[in-house]
Amino acid sequence: MGSAVLSELGTEILVPVCAVVGIVFSLVQWYLVSRVTLTAERQGPGSSPSGANKNGYNDYLIEEEEGLNDPSVVAKCAEIQNAISEGATSFLFTEYQYVGVFMVAFAILIFLFLGSVEGFSTKSQPCTYDKQKTCKPALATAIFSTVSFLLGAFTSVVSGFLGMKIATYANARTTLEARKGVGKAFITAFRSGAVMGFLLAANGLLVLFIAINLFKLYYGEDWEGLFESITGYGLGGSSMALFGRVGGGIYTKAADVGADLVGKVERNIPEDDPRNPAVIADNVGDNVGDIAGMGSDLFGSYAESSCAALVVASISSFGINHEFTSMLYPLLISSVGILVCLITTLFATDFFEIKAVKEIEPALKKQLIISTVLMTVGIAIVTWIALPSSFSIYNFGTQKVVKNWQLFLCVAVGLWAGLIIGFVTEYYTSNAYSPVQDVADSCRTGAATNVIFGLALGYKSVIIPIFAIAISIFVSFSFAAMYGIAVAALGMLSTIATGLAIDAYGPISDNAGGIAEMAGMSHRIRERTDALDAAGNTTAAIGKGFAIGSAALVSLALFGAFVSRASISTVDVLTPKVFIGLIVGAMLPYWFSAMTMKSVGSAALKMVEEVRRQFNTIPGLMEGHTKPDYATCVKISTDASIKEMIPPGALVMLTPLIVGIFFGVETLSGVLAGSLVSGVQIAISASNTGGAWDNAKKYIEAGASEHARTLGPKGSEPHKAAVIGDTIGDPLKDTSGPSLNILIKLMAVESLVFAPFFATHGGLLFKIF
């Protein structure tokens, strides 16, 4: 079968070095962003990190050109940025206090359940897959699974928090750079997103690598036990992501809906107008939902796909023969991904110039294409140096012989499927194409037709991504069984640093536009930030497409690992035990979506009432003579999101435990399959419907084409209909849709972690009857 070209020592050096390079690069990007000062002093030509007259700006400011260079505007920007940063930090600390209690409680639960499999025995036991060998006791698995769960949870929380901090650090700086030109503002926003992307990818990789090496000191030759306990890392990451996504999503959409319905529809004032009491809460929400939540979400996907691949590999020839380099093939893919994303980022910030608004979206799309092409070469190199020419992969009780080129194709098909999903998402959510323009046109006859067209678009947008996922599954499973599916998911996530940079760029640009409006800056600056934001809306939808597609592959890989670990020979849908699980599992995404949508509705109701109250009772507010009470609106969003995130979170976390304990592993396998099939469809549809409604509104507001101008201007009846559609779509695209991919991943990884307990003690009701 041969051996890998790369030695074990080479692997031990390469993985952490790539992770450290990613961290250093993110710090360099942060330093370049920090050189934009929040002061009224004019910057000289030499102070620019990119050089003078590059990327579409000149040395003079728009305000100087128009005679409006008021130093107080810069001070206002700094003041607004501080308010947003304080609000976001306060919310996350409050959220993490609640989540911290859950984290400790669930860690105790993991220890008790897994420790009880062998009655907390400290004696070695026969291995699950090879009874001739002895493995470490179940108590060790309980202890190390608990530790890895806490490690994953902590890394997820830190990733989200750091992303939020850099986003709130960069938003006003992006606004100020827009005074010099759209190219300079774009670079500031993109570099800030890159800080988050590289920090998250590098931290996730480094912590996982260190954990494996530390656990190996105890487990020694027992690689089966070692990598089974590592699965807790993925569970920790996704459980924190669930609360981050749901809590942040409820927060941001409650504020957004309240601000839009009263401000834009009832009072006919611009978006982000400082007179609107909900405007600070809305901008805070962009950071806690779209930045912190998305960061934790994609970290969870990365951790779970790595863990699923490692579990299957540990019982394949890599694990049986103790081939360390081949075993860490998933981590090597992620390592090379960091280097590829680093080169790709330079294309956006240094190699090419952006001189006009129309160049923004193509520049972001080039990031996806360049990273995918370079990563394909990177995967080929890693496969050649890390894998023997032929090896065996565990396939439900048998060992399947696989060639290294077949595994390369598995990773590559996942990578390219991600690109296809991204571009299909862009087609259905960008206002540059006919689907969104048709939705905008439907606003001529009111909000009802807008809603009908938007729903139809969302349903239709599911078709091609599902085919892409289906082809990925067929190809990867045919070549390398469940291991192939796990590495296909890793392929889709291998360019996670670039994906997150593009994704985080959107909320930063959105905040920059809000700050420009609140600070009373020139309308030309607002036009530039709006252009950045419109491109960001599309890229955010692309990011959600990646997250949902990878979640489907990750969940299937985890499902395969669970079936193997629970010693289920076949999952027969014709048996009542499995079928009831299947139909209940398919219902769960609807139940979960209902809870999150209603939570947003309840919180938005309070927000609308508060904003109306302030407009009606505070003298001089509408005239701009008096400042609104922003703090009350921030408090409403915070209290509502903390309270409302618990029931949906409990539904997801408790379902596998209840089903596994009372109904057994066969019914649980049905629940996992049902929730996966149903959840992916709803998630794609909800995200794209919301994204289309949002960009239909922006299409009318921008008035960039003759068709758009016939629907506008702001305040027209078609525009009001578009705002209502956008308001309905907000909780779909930013709360329910993105949270569903965590639901399907989290239930799968939780089932895998608790599989030994369910296999030994589960199915109590069927045992009684």
Side-chain angles (χ1 to χ4, degrees), residues 210-260:
I210 291 170
I212 289 170
N213 278 279
L214 289 177
F215 285 18
K216 197 148 71 83
L217 296 175
Y218 169 78
Y219 276 100
E221 299 294 294
D222 179 15
W223 283 23
E224 181 188 308
L226 162 62
F227 290 103
E228 187 176 313
S229 61
I230 281 290
T231 54
Y233 186 70
L235 176 59
S238 254
S239 56
M240 295 305 103
L242 175 69
F243 290 106
R245 258 301 191 194
V246 173
I250 293 168
Y251 186 108
T252 181
K253 292 306 111 182
D256 202 358
V257 170
D260 282 358

Side-chain angles (χ1 to χ4, degrees), residues 62-85:
I62 288 175
E63 290 92 334
E64 291 174 353
E65 178 189 341
E66 298 181 350
L68 298 169
N69 192 18
D70 181 2
S72 67
V73 166
V74 183
K76 277 185 191 173
C77 287
E79 182 187 335
I80 296 162
Q81 183 200 52
N82 287 335
I84 294 169
S85 181

Side-chain angles (χ1 to χ4, degrees), residues 253 256 260 425 428-431 436 439 450-451 453-459 461 537-538 540-542 544 548 597 682-698 722-738:
K253 292 306 111 182
D256 202 358
D260 282 358
T425 304
Y428 279 105
T429 57
S430 170
N431 54 28
V436 169
V439 172
N450 180 27
V451 170
F453 270 69
L455 288 172
L457 178 147
Y459 297 150
S461 71
N537 258 337
T538 302
I542 291 172
K544 292 183 182 89
I548 294 163
M597 291 285 284
I682 303 171
I684 295 173
S685 171
S687 294
N688 290 349
T689 294
W693 275 328
D694 194 347
N695 274 341
K697 176 200 72 176
K698 282 187 165 55
V723 170
I724 290 169
D726 174 37
T727 307
I728 298 169
D730 276 337
L732 283 173
K733 73 180 172 67
D734 290 325
T735 310
S736 293

Side-chain angles (χ1 to χ4, degrees), residues 408-420:
F408 160 74
L409 287 177
C410 292
V411 186
V413 78
L415 175 67
W416 283 90
L419 186 67
I420 290 167

Side-chain angles (χ1 to χ4, degrees), residues 15-369:
V15 175
V17 164
C18 288
V20 170
V21 166
I23 292 170
V24 170
F25 183 73
S26 70
L27 295 176
V28 170
Q29 298 301 301
W30 175 82
Y31 168 71
L32 293 173
V33 171
S34 71
R35 289 176 65 181
V36 180
T37 55
L38 285 177
T39 64
E41 296 173 15
R42 178 179 169 179
Q43 294 184 351
S47 67
S48 164
S50 299
N53 296 318
K54 189 175 180 186
N55 290 301
Y57 71 92
N58 297 314
D59 289 333
Y60 60 79
L61 306 181
I62 288 175
E63 290 92 334
E64 291 174 353
E65 178 189 341
E66 298 181 350
L68 298 169
N69 192 18
D70 181 2
S72 67
V73 166
V74 183
K76 277 185 191 173
C77 287
E79 182 187 335
I80 296 162
Q81 183 200 52
N82 287 335
I84 294 169
S85 181
E86 285 171 14
T89 305
S90 171
F91 167 74
L92 286 183
F93 274 126
T94 306
E95 181 183 64
Y96 292 158
Q97 286 172 13
Y98 286 84
V99 168
V101 173
F102 157 80
M103 203 160 74
V104 173
F106 206 78
I108 293 168
L109 201 65
I110 292 171
F111 173 74
L112 293 176
F113 274 40
L114 295 184
S116 67
V117 170
E118 296 291 334
F120 297 97
S121 170
T122 55
K123 293 179 182 176
S124 296
Q125 56 181 352
C127 297
T128 306
Y129 299 98
D130 186 353
K131 301 296 183 185
Q132 307 304 316
K133 294 181 181 177
T134 56
C135 288
K136 298 293 183 183
L139 186 62
T141 304
I143 294 168
F144 283 99
S145 293
T146 305
V147 171
S148 59
F149 168 78
L150 292 171
L151 267 178
F154 180 73
T155 310
S156 179
V157 163
V158 168
S159 299
F161 185 76
L162 289 177
M164 181 278 297
K165 290 304 283 185
I166 182 62
T168 54
Y169 181 80
N171 48 18
R173 288 171 166 81
T174 302
T175 308
L176 295 177
E177 289 298 86
R179 300 183 301 167
K180 300 171 185 171
V182 72
K184 194 64 179 75
F186 170 83
I187 285 182
T188 302
F190 191 82
R191 279 192 169 134
S192 308
V195 176
M196 177 192 181
F198 282 91
L199 269 181
L200 185 141
N203 282 339
L205 176 65
L206 191 60
V207 174
L208 181 57
F209 178 77
I210 291 170
I212 289 170
N213 278 279
L214 289 177
F215 285 18
K216 197 148 71 83
L217 296 175
Y218 169 78
Y219 276 100
E221 299 294 294
D222 179 15
W223 283 23
E224 181 188 308
L226 162 62
F227 290 103
E228 187 176 313
S229 61
I230 281 290
T231 54
Y233 186 70
L235 176 59
S238 254
S239 56
M240 295 305 103
L242 175 69
F243 290 106
R245 258 301 191 194
V246 173
I250 293 168
Y251 186 108
T252 181
K253 292 306 111 182
D256 202 358
V257 170
D260 282 358
L261 281 183
V262 182
K264 292 168 76 171
V265 176
E266 294 181 10
R267 294 285 172 166
N268 203 22
I269 60 175
E271 187 167 3
D272 297 314
D273 192 295
R275 292 171 289 178
N276 195 324
V279 73
I280 292 289
D282 185 9
N283 282 291
V284 169
D286 289 336
N287 294 291
V288 297
D290 293 340
I291 299 277
M294 172 58 94
S296 294
D297 180 4
L298 283 179
F299 166 75
S301 283
Y302 162 73
E304 285 162 337
S305 55
S306 300
C307 291
L310 291 169
V311 166
V312 179
S314 69
I315 50 178
S316 303
S317 65
F318 302 153
I320 294 166
N321 301 329
H322 293 89
E323 298 167 3
F324 188 73
T325 297
S326 302
M327 187 71 213
L328 291 196
Y329 178 67
L331 272 66
L332 288 166
I333 291 173
S334 302
S335 302
V336 172
I338 289 174
L339 302 182
V340 164
C341 291
L342 190 154
I343 296 166
T344 306
T345 300
L346 298 177
F347 278 90
T349 57
D350 294 270
F351 297 161
F352 290 108
E353 298 180 14
I354 288 183
K355 295 180 178 176
V357 163
K358 64 184 179 187
E359 295 174 13
I360 298 170
E361 205 163 308
L364 294 168
K365 283 161 66 176
K366 280 177 192 167
Q367 286 284 295
L368 294 173
I369 296 168

